[in-house]
C-alpha cells in the first residue's frame, strides 16, 4: 500500500493512511489524511540544529528541550546515553520507568504511545504524566508525522511488524541525528522481543538491548535487578508451568464482540464475595439478579473489580448463593511456589472438591423438596470467558513464609515465592526475588504482571518494602496504598501556586475598591467545631431584623480565591478529590498553608469568605436569600462543648451568646422540618480512638457522642448546601455540581425483612415506599427489652442503602436529583471546600451564578464535569474505606492489650459460621463452626436463619440472626496475611 | 488518538493554525453549465454547477427587483465511510441550503438581474469535515466562472476550540469532538458573510477562534484567486490567438 505523497505550498507533505475497519460483520475502508512535517525537534539539549526549526503554539510558546546534556553514563561502555523503548517495555515495566533510580532521558515514539493507549489507558496516563512532570526527562517524539522518520507500510506487512519497524527507525534516526552534534552520545533501543532485537542488529542499530541486559549496563544494577517484571523475563516460571493444568483460554476478540452483540455474552464488573473467594457475582443489565460465578475454573483468572465477559451456564447449573464461608488462606496456604508437584496436578484440590460436593448436595435436596421458596432463590450462573479491563494496581501483602525454601541457601539466585495480599478476596501472587528471606515479616508492595492460562496463580514482581508488619508506619502506608490514596507531599509545582507571602498573607486593606467583596466584618460571626480543630472552614452568625425576622449567615472559607482553575494546585486538588482522615493522620486535599491558615476562618483575624445570608421568619421559612463573596472577622472559635455550655449558662447574656441561641432555636426548627419530611437517621457504629499523646499508643475506644451544638452546625450546613444547589442548578442546568442519593432497591431490604419476619415476628416490616415511611417504620421497630436493637437495625438498614453520589445536573432528570436520606429534592456540597473538591466546583459555579467572575470552561462542559464527578465519587469512597480500615487497625491494637468479654449481636448466619457485631468496639467478626463446637452434628436452618450445634461442653445450642450473645474479644495476628483482626469466641 | 497532543500536533499531523490541502479548479464542466467548479478541502470534495441568470420556469418564482438564488444539494451515498441513503429533505440539508441561500443573496449583486433565477447545483462527492465551508467556496468559484457579479470573494473555513487552543480547518474526527464554527469571510476584509456555530462556545474564547478563522479565510481567498487568474490567463491566451 504505497500512498502517493504530495508537497504542499505550506511546506507540509500530505499522504494518506488507508486502513480497513471491520465492524458489524462488514469491512469498511477508511482513508485519512496524514501530514508529514520537518519542524519536529529532537528535544535534546545536546542538539545544535533543531533550534532553528521550531514553531510556536497558539499561546506563542516554543517547545522546550528536555533531554539532558549530560545523561547517565553506561557502566561498561562509559558513554552517555538516551533510550528508546518499545510498547511492551512500557506496558510491562511501567513501575521501573517510574522508578527514581533508573530510566532518565527516555524517548517514547508516537507509535509506541498510541499502542500503549489502545492497550491500557491507565498506563498511557502514567506515561503522559511522566512526560509532563519533566523530572525524569521523558519526551514523546511524533515519528509518524516527521518526514525523517515516517516510513510507508510495505506490501503484506502486518501492522505489528510495521509498528516495530517504525520504532526502530526512531532509534536509528536519533542515533544518527545526535552523532552530528555530539560523538559521545549513544541512543539505546530497548525491547524484550527477540525477533525485534535481531532485526535491529541486522538493520545496523548496534545499541539494541533487552531489559535485563540494559539494567546490567547501569551502575546501580544491584538495586534494580529484583524489580524487573516477570513477564519480561523469558525463563521466569517455565519450569513449574509444565505441571499445572491450565485454565480455559479466553475467547478471541471477534468472538467476544460477536457474542456481546447477539446477546449470548455479557459484560460487567466482577465482584468477589468477601466471605467466599470462590464465589463472584457480575451485575448485568439484562438480569434482575446478579450472575453467580462459582469456583476457580469459572472465575477463570478474574480479579475482583475486573471488567469481565461472561457466558451463562445451562439452567441445571443455576444455584443459590453460597451460605458457606471460604477464605483462600484456608485452602492451599502451604503451596510451595516452585513445586506445584504431584498433589497439584488435579486442578481443584480436595478441599475445593469437598466444598463443591457439599454445594451440589444441597442443590439436589433443594430440588427434590422443591418448594417455591427454594426456587425463587436460584440464581443464574455463568463463567468468565474474557477480561476486557484488568483492575490490576499495586497490591500490599507479605511473603508467605511457607513458600520460601529454608533448606539450602544458594546465594544470589532469584527464587519464586508467594505473596499473600491484604485484600483477602484476591489470590496470592507469585514473584521471583533474591531477597525473600530479608522480606519475611515485612509489608511489601507488589505489582501483577500477567496471569497466563497455564499458571495457577498470577505472576508479579516486587516493587518496594514498606516496613515491618504491624508497625504503625507500614500499616498506615499500606492502607493508603490499598485504597489508592495519593499521600506523597505536594510537589513544588503545586506549592508554587500559593501566595508568595505564605503564612504572613493578610486580607488586603483596599479590598473594597479592588474587589466586589462585601464587608461583613461587623457581623458577630463565630465558629463551632470539634475541639482542637485547626482547619475551620465554616462560621455562622445570626441577628434579629427590625421587622422581627431573623438574619442568618453561613460563611465558608473562600478557597477558590486561592485555588484558581487550570493551575497545578487545582489539578492536584481535583485528582485527590478529598482529604482523607485516618485515626492518627490526615492526608490533605490542599496544602497545609491554605487549610490551617489562609482559608481557616480563625477568630480575631480577617478572612475571605463565601457567604450565604438568609432572611428567615419565625418558623425558619426562607423569606430571602443572598450569596456574596465577603470579608469576615470571626469573634470566637468554640468547641461543641464550649458552645453548648455557653448557651446553657443563663448568666451569659452578651450579644454573641444571644445570637447562638437564635441559631440553636432555628436549627431545631429546621431539623424538625427535615424529620417531618422523612429525613433518615441511620446509624453506623462510629468509633473514636483515643490516642495517648505521650506514647502515641491508642488508649481506648469510645463511640462518638453528639451534642445539640453538633446538630446546630450540621443543620445550617445542610441548609446552605440546599440553597446553593438550587442557585447553581438555576444558572447551569446542564453542568451544576450536585449530589444525589437514590432510594434503596426493594431487593436490598428483602433479606432483612425476611429475617425480621422470622426472627422478630412482633416487629413491623420495614417499609420502603418513601424515606419518610422508612424512617417511621425504623422508629417503630423498638424492642423495649433491648434499646440497642433499634440501633442494630439501623446499622443493618444503612448497609442496604445506596451510596450517595456526585453528578452534573445534566446526567439525570430533575425528579432523580432527590436526596433520599436527607429527604430534599436537590442537594450539593458547598461547605467544606478545603477538604472536598465538589465544594470547590460548587464555589466556582456559585461565583459564576452571581456574576462575581466568569466560570471556567471546565465547569461549563458536561463531558469534563462527568470526568470530575467520576473521580471524586471514587476518591470519596476510597477515603471512607481507608478511614474505616484505619480505625479497624487501631481497634485491633487496643484490643491486643485488653482481652475482654463483651456483648454482641448475630447479624449473619452461614452453614459453617456466624457473624457477630460487637457494638462496644464497632467491630464485627466471623466465628467459624470449628470454634463453636462439633462440626459434624451442626445443622443450618436457612429459612429460620439459625444454626443448631453442640458446643464443646456437649450442650445443644441454637443461634440465629439478631440474637444477643456474649463473646470473648481478643485480637490475634493472622500468621498468613499478617493482618491483626478481632477474634471472637462465643461464650 | 490524541486530538491535540501536548506536543502541539493534531490527529493528522497538522499544527493548530494549519490548513489542510486546498485545491480548486474552475470551469470544470463548460458544456453542461454556465459556470462550474471543483474543490478539494482535505478529503472533502465538492462539485458546483451554476445555471443562469435565466428566466424562471414559473412566473411566481420571479422577483421584479432582484435575482433569486436557488441551491440544491446532492450528497453522494458513498461520500462518508458508511454508505447510507440520504433523503433530499433531510433536516440538516434544508438548513444548510437556507444558510447558503441567505449568504449568497447578500454577496451576489442580485439587483443587476431582476426577474431571473440563478440555479446552483451542488454535488458532494466525499466528506471529511468542513462541509459547509467546502460548499461555500465551490459556489463562490462557480458563480465567478458563470460571470455573475459579486461584491467580493466569499471564502469559507471552519475552526474549533480544543480546550483553550483554537484549531483551524477541522476534519471529521475533530468536528465530532468539539464545537465547530464556520465562517465566510468577504474578500480581504474582516467582514463576514456567514457565521454558523454548531454547539456552544464560551464567549471569552470566541475571539481567538474567529481570529484564526479569518486568517484561514484569507489564505483560502488567495488560493482561489490564484486559480481564477490562472484560468483567466488561459482563456485570454486563447482569445489572443
Ligand atoms: Zn535535534
Amino acid at each position: 500500500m504505497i500512498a502517493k505523497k504530495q508537497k504542499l505550498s505550506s511546506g507540509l507533505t500530505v499522504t494518506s493512511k488507508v486502513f480497513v475497519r471491520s465492524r458489524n460483520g462488514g469491512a469498511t475502508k477508511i482513508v485519512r489524511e496524514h501530514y508529514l512535517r520537518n519542524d519536529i525537534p529532537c528535544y535534546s539539549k545536546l542538539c545544535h540544529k533543531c533550534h532553528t526549526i521550531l514553531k510556536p503554539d497558539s499561546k506563542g510558546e516554543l517547545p522546550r528541550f528536555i533531554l539532558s546534556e549530560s545523561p547517565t553514563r553506561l557502566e561498561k561502555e562509559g558513554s552517555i546515553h538516551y533510550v528508546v523503548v518499545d510498547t511492551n517495555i512500557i506496558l510491562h515495566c511501567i513501575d521501573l520507568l517510574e522508578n527514581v533510580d533508573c530510566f532518565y532521558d527516555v524517548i517514547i515514539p508516537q507509535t509506541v504511545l498510541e499502542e500503549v493507549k489502545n492497550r491500557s489507558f491507565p498506563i498511557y496516563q502514567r506515561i503522559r504524566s511522566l512526560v509532563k512532570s519533566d523530572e525524569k526527562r521523558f519526551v514523546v517524539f511524533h515519528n509518524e508525522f516527521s518526514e525523517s522518520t515516517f516510513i510507508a507500510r510495505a506490501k503484506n506487512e502486518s501492522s505489528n511488524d510495521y509498528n516495530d519497524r517504525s520504532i526502530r527507525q526512531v532509534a536509528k534516526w536519533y542515533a544518527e541525528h545526535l552523532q552530528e552534534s555530539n560523538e559521545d552520545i549513544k541512543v539505546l533501543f530497548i525491547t524484550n522481543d527477540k525477533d525485534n532485537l535481531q532485526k535491529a542488529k541486522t538493520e545496523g542499530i548496534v545499541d539494541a538491548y533487552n531489559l535485563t541486559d540494559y539494567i546490567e549496563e547501569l551502575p546501580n544494577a544491584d538495586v534494580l535487578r529484583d524489580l524487573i517484571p516477570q513477564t519480561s523475563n523469558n525463563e521466569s516460571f517455565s519450569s513449574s508451568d509444565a505441571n499445572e493444568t491450565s485454565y480455559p483460554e479466553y475467547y478471541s476478540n471477534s468472538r467476544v464482540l460477536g457474542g456481546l452483540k447477539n446477546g449470548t455474552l455479557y459484560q460487567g464488573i466482577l465482584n468477589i464475595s468477601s466471605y467466599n473467594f470462590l464465589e463472584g457475582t457480575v451485575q448485568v443489565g439484562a438480569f434482575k439478579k446478579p450472575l453467580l460465578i462459582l469456583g476457580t475454573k469459572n472465575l477463570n483468572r478474574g480479579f475482583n473489580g475486573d471488567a469481565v465477559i461472561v457466558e451463562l451456564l445451562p439452567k441445571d447449573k443455576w444455584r443459590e448463593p453460597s451460605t458457606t464461608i471460604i477464605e483462600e488462606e484456608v485452602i492451599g496456604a502451604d503451596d510451595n511456589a516452585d513445586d506445584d508437584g504431584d498433589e497439584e496436578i488435579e486442578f481443584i484440590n480436595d478441599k475445593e472438591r469437598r466444598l463443591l460436593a457439599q454445594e451440589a448436595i444441597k442443590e439436589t435436596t433443594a430440588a427434590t423438596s422443591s418448594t417455591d421458596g427454594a426456587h425463587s432463590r436460584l440464581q443464574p450462573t455463568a463463567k468468565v470467558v474474557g477480561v476486557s479491563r484488568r483492575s490490576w494496581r499495586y497490591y500490599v501483602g507479605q511473603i508467605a513464609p511457607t513458600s520460601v525454601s529454608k533448606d539450602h541457601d544458594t546465594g544470589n539466585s532469584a527464587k519464586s515465592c508467594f505473596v499473600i495480599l491484604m485484600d483477602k478476596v484476591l489470590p496470592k501472587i507469585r514473584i521471583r526475588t533474591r531477597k525473600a528471606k530479608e522480606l519475611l515479616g515485612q509489608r511489601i508492595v507488589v505489582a501483577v504482571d500477567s496471569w497466563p492460562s497455564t499458571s495457577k496463580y498470577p505472576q508479579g514482581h516486587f516493587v518496594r518494602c514498606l516496613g515491618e508488619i504491624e508497625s504503625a508506619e507500614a500499616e498506615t502506608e499500606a492502607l493508603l496504598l490499598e485504597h489508592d490514596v495519593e499521600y506523597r507531599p505536594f510537589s513544588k509545582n503545586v506549592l508554587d501556586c500559593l501566595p508568595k507571602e505564605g503564612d504572613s498573607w493578610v486580607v488586603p486593606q483596599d479590598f473594597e475598591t479592588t474587589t466586589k467583596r462585601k464587608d461583613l466584618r461587623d457581623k458577630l460571626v463565630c465558629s463551632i467545631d470539634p475541639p482542637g480543630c485547626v482547619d475551620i472552614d465554616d462560621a455562622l452568625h445570626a441577628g434579629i431584623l427590625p421587622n422581627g425576622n431573623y438574619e442568618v449567615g453561613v460563611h465558608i472559607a473562600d478557597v477558590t480565591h486561592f485555588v484558581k482553575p487550570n493551575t497545578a494546585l487545582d489539578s492536584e486538588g481535583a485528582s485527590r478529590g478529598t482529604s482523607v482522615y485516618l485515626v492518627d493522620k490526615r492526608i490533605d486535599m490542599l496544602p497545609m498553608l491554605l487549610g490551617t491558615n489562609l482559608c481557616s476562618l480563625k477568630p480575631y483575624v480577617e478572612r475571605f469568605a463565601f457567604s450565604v445570608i438568609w432572611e428567615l421568619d419565625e418558623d425558619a421559612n426562607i423569606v430571602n436569600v443572598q450569596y456574596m463573596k465577603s470579608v469576615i472577622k470571626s469573634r470566637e472559635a468554640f468547641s461543641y462543648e464550649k458552645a453548648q455550655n455557653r448557651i446553657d449558662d443563663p448568666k451569659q447574656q452578651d450579644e454573641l451568646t444571644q445570637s447562638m441561641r437564635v441559631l440553636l432555636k432555628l436549627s431545631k426548627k429546621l431539623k424538625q422540618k427535615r424529620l417531618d419530611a422523612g429525613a433518615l437517621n441511620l446509624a453506623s457504629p462510629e468509633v473514636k480512638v483515643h490516642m495517648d499523646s505521650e506514647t502515641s499508643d491508642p488508649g481506648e475506644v469510645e463511640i462518638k457522642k453528639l451534642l445539640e451544638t453538633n446538630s446546630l452546625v450540621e443543620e445550617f450546613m445542610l441548609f446552605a448546601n440546599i440553597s446553593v444547589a438550587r442557585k447553581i442548578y438555576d444558572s447551569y442546568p446542564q453542568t451544576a455540581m450536585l449530589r444525589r442519593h437514590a432510594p434503596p432497591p426493594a431487593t436490598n431490604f428483602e433479606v432483612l425483612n425476611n429475617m425480621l419476619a422470622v426472627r422478630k415476628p412482633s416487629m413491623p416490616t420495614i417499609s420502603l415506599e418513601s424515606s419518610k415511611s422508612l424512617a417511621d417504620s425504623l422508629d417503630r421497630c423498638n424492642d423495649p427489652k433491648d434499646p440497642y436493637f433499634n440501633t442494630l437495625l439501623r446499622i443493618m438498614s444503612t448497609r442496604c442503602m445506596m451510596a450517595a453520589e456526585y453528578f452534573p445536573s445534566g446526567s439525570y432528570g430533575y425528579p432523580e436529583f432527590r436526596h433520599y436520606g436527607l429527604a430534599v429534592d436537590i442537594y450539593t456540597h458547598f461547605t467544606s471546600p478545603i477538604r472536598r473538591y465538589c465544594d470547590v466546583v460548587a464555589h466556582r459555579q456559585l461565583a459564576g451564578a452571581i456574576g462575581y467572575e466568569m466560570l471556567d470552561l471546565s465547569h461549563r462542559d458536561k463531558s469534563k464535569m462527568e470526568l470530575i464527578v467520576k473521580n471524586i465519587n471514587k476518591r470519596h469512597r476510597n477515603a471512607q474505606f481507608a478511614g474505616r480500615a484505619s480505625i479497624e487497625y487501631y481497634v485491633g491494637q487496643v484490643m491486643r492489650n485488653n482481652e475482654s468479654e463483651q456483648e454482641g449481636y448475630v447479624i449473619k448466619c452461614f452453614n459453617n459460621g456466624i457473624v457477630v457485631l460487637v457494638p462496644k468496639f464497632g467491630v464485627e467478626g466471623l466465628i467459624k463452626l470449628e470454634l463453636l463446637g462439633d462440626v459434624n452434628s451442626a445443622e443450618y436452618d436457612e429459612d429460620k436463619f439459625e444454626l443448631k450445634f453442640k458446643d464443646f461442653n456437649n450442650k445443644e445450642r441454637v443461634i440465629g440472626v439478631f440474637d444477643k450473645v456474649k463473646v470473648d474479644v481478643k485480637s490475634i495476628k493472622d500468621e498468613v496475611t499478617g493482618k491483626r483482626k478481632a477474634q471472637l469466641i462465643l461464650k | 488518538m490524541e486530538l491535540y497532543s501536548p506536543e502541539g500536533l493534531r490527529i493528522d499531523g497538522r499544527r493548530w493554525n494549519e490548513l489542510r490541502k486546498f485545491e480548486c479548479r474552475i470551469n470544470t464542466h463548460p458544456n453542461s453549465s454556465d459556470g462550474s467548479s471543483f474543490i478539494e478541502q482535505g478529503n472533502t470534495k465538492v462539485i458546483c454547477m451554476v445555471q443562469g441568470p435565466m428566466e424562471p420556469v414559473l412566473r411566481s418564482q420571479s422577483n421584479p427587483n432582484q435575482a433569486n438564488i436557488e441551491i440544491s444539494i446532492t450528497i453522494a451515498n458513498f461520500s462518508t465511510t458508511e454508505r447510507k441513503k440520504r433523503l433530499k429533505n433531510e433536516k440538516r440539508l434544508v438548513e444548510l441550503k437556507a444558510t447558503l441561500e441567505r449568504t449568497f443573496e447578500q454577496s451576489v449583486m442580485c439587483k443587476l438581474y431582476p426577474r431571473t433565477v440563478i440555479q446552483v447545483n451542488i454535488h458532494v462527492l466525499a466528506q471529511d469535515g468542513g462541509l459547509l465551508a467546502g460548499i461555500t467556496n465551490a459556489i463562490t468559484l462557480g458563480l465567478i466562472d458563470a460571470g455573475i457579479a459579486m461584491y467580493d470573494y466569499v471564502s469559507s473555513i471552519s475552526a474549533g476550540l480544543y480546550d483553550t487552543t483554537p484549531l483551524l480547518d477541522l476534519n471529521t474526527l475533530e468536528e465530532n469532538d468539539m464545537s465547530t464554527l464556520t465562517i465566510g469571510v468577504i474578500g480581504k476584509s474582516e467582514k463576514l458573510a456567514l457565521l454558523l456555530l454548531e454547539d456552544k462556545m464560551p464567549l471569552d474564547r470566541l475571539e481567538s477562534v474567529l481570529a484564526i478563522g479569518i486568517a484561514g479565510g484569507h489564505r483560502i481567498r488567495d488560493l482561489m484567486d490564484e486559480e481564477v487568474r490562472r484560468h483567466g490567463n488561459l482563456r485570454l491566451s486563447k482569445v489572443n490567438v
Side-chain angles (χ1 to χ4, degrees), chain A residues 6 35 37 124 128 857, chain B residues 2 12-13 18 21 23 202:
Chain A
Q6 184 187 356
Y35 291 87
R37 45 199 324 125
Y124 163 77
R128 264 295 174 203
L857 278 177
Chain B
E2 298 162 315
D12 58 5
E18 286 172 347
K21 160 186 80 173
E23 285 189 351

Side-chain angles (χ1 to χ4, degrees), chain A residues 64 66 109 252 287 293 297 399 407 409 523 554 620 667 676 696 765 775 870 944:
Chain A
R64 286 181 312 122
I66 307 287
S252 71
F287 299 92
I293 303 182
K297 205 138 200 168
I399 291 185
D407 36 339
D409 202 331
K523 306 280 182 199
V554 162
S667 75
D676 290 346
S696 110
T765 47
K870 196 172 159 204
K944 283 191 175 155

Side-chain angles (χ1 to χ4, degrees), chain A residues 40-44 46-51 53 65 173-174 177-178 181:
Chain A
I40 299 178
C42 65
Y43 303 106
S44 166
L46 285 168
C47 175
H48 299 321
K49 294 177 295 182
C50 289
H51 287 275
I53 58 170
F65 286 64
W173 177 80
Y174 256 98
H177 177 80
L178 292 172
S181 297

Side-chain angles (χ1 to χ4, degrees), chain A residues 118-136:
Chain A
N118 290 335
R119 301 266 294 274
S120 163
F121 194 71
I123 292 181
Y124 163 77
Q125 282 176 314
R126 285 162 77 179
I127 281 293
R128 264 295 174 203
S129 74
L130 275 174
V131 173
K132 194 176 171 194
S133 82
D134 275 16
E135 279 155 35
K136 297 201 66 191

Side-chain angles (χ1 to χ4, degrees), chain B residues 156-205:
Chain B
S156 181
I157 194 74
S158 68
L161 185 64
Y162 180 81
D163 218 0
T164 57
T165 304
L167 300 181
L168 185 66
D169 196 6
L170 309 183
N171 64 28
T172 305
L173 288 176
E174 294 173 322
E175 227 174 53
N176 290 341
D177 257 43
M178 51 186 114
S179 45
T180 310
L181 178 77
T182 303
I183 58 169
V185 186
I186 301 175
K188 286 181 168 172
S189 75
E190 296 198 348
K191 288 189 198 133
L192 301 184
L194 162 71
L195 187 144
L196 185 82
L197 178 60
E198 303 202 25
D199 209 346
K200 281 184 259 184
M201 196 175 281
L203 203 59
D204 42 340
R205 299 283 172 201

Side-chain angles (χ1 to χ4, degrees), chain A residues 254-395:
Chain A
S254 53
R255 185 164 170 198
V256 165
L257 287 177
L260 287 174
K261 196 166 154 41
N262 68 25
T264 54
L265 299 180
Y266 304 93
Q267 184 169 20
I269 304 289
L270 179 64
N271 191 358
I272 306 268
S273 158
S274 49
Y275 291 107
N276 180 348
F277 84 103
L278 291 176
E279 176 180 310
T281 51
V282 175
Q283 188 82 51
V284 170
F287 299 92
K288 265 196 198 133
K289 288 187 173 172
L291 301 177
L292 267 184
I293 303 182
L294 302 170
T296 30
K297 205 138 200 168
N298 287 331
L299 285 168
N300 196 3
R301 297 169 276 156
F303 259 57
N304 189 30
D306 283 354
V308 293
I309 314 291
V310 295
E311 185 175 60
L312 275 185
L313 293 175
K315 200 159 186 174
D316 57 305
K317 294 210 173 119
W318 291 14
R319 298 277 185 84
E320 289 173 39
S322 153
T323 48
T324 308
I325 307 149
I326 307 175
E327 284 171 0
E328 156 135 32
E329 53 209 67
V330 183
I331 293 172
D334 331 310
D335 284 0
N336 185 319
D338 255 339
D339 163 41
D340 278 339
D342 309 328
E343 74 280 344
E344 287 285 333
I345 288 179
E346 284 168 284
F347 195 73
I348 42 173
N349 63 29
D350 283 354
K351 236 169 190 166
E352 285 178 45
R353 198 197 303 281
R354 266 201 303 280
L355 290 165
L356 278 176
Q358 215 174 320
E359 291 280 313
I361 290 165
K362 217 185 75 205
E363 171 61 22
T364 44
T365 49
T368 48
S369 69
S370 147
T371 54
D372 284 354
H375 260 296
S376 70
R377 280 197 294 269
L378 271 193
Q379 241 167 286
T381 55
K383 61 178 182 185
V384 173
V385 298
V387 175
S388 53
R389 188 169 31 80
R390 285 291 192 185
S391 58
W392 291 348
R393 52 176 173 90
Y394 286 127
Y395 295 104

